[in-house]
Amino acid sequence: FYLGVLLYGNFHEDAFPWAYHMVSNQINFTPFWSIATQIEDYINGMIPLADILTYLFVRIFTYLPYGFYIALLLRKTSKLLRFIALLILPSIIELFQYFFFPARFDIDDLIYAFIGGVIGTILFILINTIYRAVSGRNFLSSDSDYRFTNSSLYF
């Protein structure tokens, strides 16, 4: 479901118009150019502050579940591999946008996706720490990871 919404939002024209107020007709390779333009428009009284906040929150929080899933699925791998995995899906989406929908390509989306992924990873670590403190085991781990489940005393 999450991947479907993510692909719909990134590739369907006119998807979520409330979240994408700023429409650009060019490829953006300059980091933070879009947000700088919006801040300039806000200062000049052309757009409300809510549009800027919506722009940031949508782009960051869209990838929050992705960071959570990466931390969950790759929790036993190295930090370098998790770091690379946080960049893989957003990079693939932006590459497809670059080749098939050039006007939608924005380097800022990669930066915000990474920030959202990191926030999702931190959220998973926080939930796992709290869950481990309460239950004594890792969040969403199977019971077969624990030695007492195979004993005859386990009901």
Side-chain angles (χ1 to χ4, degrees):
F1 178 76
Y2 170 70
L3 283 176
V5 170
L6 192 64
L7 292 174
Y8 172 76
N10 280 298
F11 293 108
H12 189 270
E13 212 169 308
D14 299 328
F16 309 117
W18 56 270
Y20 296 99
H21 293 291
M22 185 175 169
V23 178
S24 176
N25 294 336
Q26 61 187 3
I27 295 172
N28 178 23
F29 285 109
T30 307
F32 304 112
W33 176 80
S34 299
I35 192 70
T37 303
Q38 286 190 347
I39 291 171
E40 186 178 307
D41 289 346
Y42 170 71
I43 291 171
N44 293 328
M46 298 169 68
I47 64 170
L49 181 62
D51 286 356
I52 297 172
L53 295 176
T54 301
Y55 173 82
L56 285 173
F57 288 140
V58 165
R59 280 161 179 75
I60 290 174
F61 290 127
T62 299
Y63 285 91
L64 193 125
Y66 179 67
F68 190 91
Y69 294 146
I70 290 297
L72 175 67
L73 296 173
L74 302 178
R75 66 178 140 195
K76 295 181 182 179
T77 62
S78 70
K79 290 180 183 178
L80 178 63
L81 186 62
R82 284 182 277 175
F83 175 80
I84 292 169
L86 284 177
L87 290 173
I88 287 176
L89 182 65
S91 298
I92 290 171
I93 288 173
E94 289 302 314
L95 280 174
F96 274 110
Q97 285 180 345
Y98 178 75
F99 289 114
F100 298 113
F101 306 104
R104 293 193 74 153
F105 177 82
D106 192 352
I107 197 71
D108 292 350
D109 291 345
L110 246 170
I111 295 167
Y112 297 138
F114 180 72
I115 291 170
V118 169
I119 293 171
T121 300
I122 291 169
L123 183 65
F124 172 78
I125 291 169
L126 182 66
I127 289 172
N128 192 34
T129 303
I130 293 169
Y131 189 80
R132 194 177 326 126
V134 172
S135 71
R137 61 187 192 127
N138 284 327
F139 181 66
L140 294 177
S141 62
S142 65
D143 287 336
S144 63
D145 292 343
Y146 301 96
R147 60 180 170 78
F148 63 83
T149 58
N150 293 331
S151 71
S152 59
L153 297 175
Y154 182 72
F155 299 104

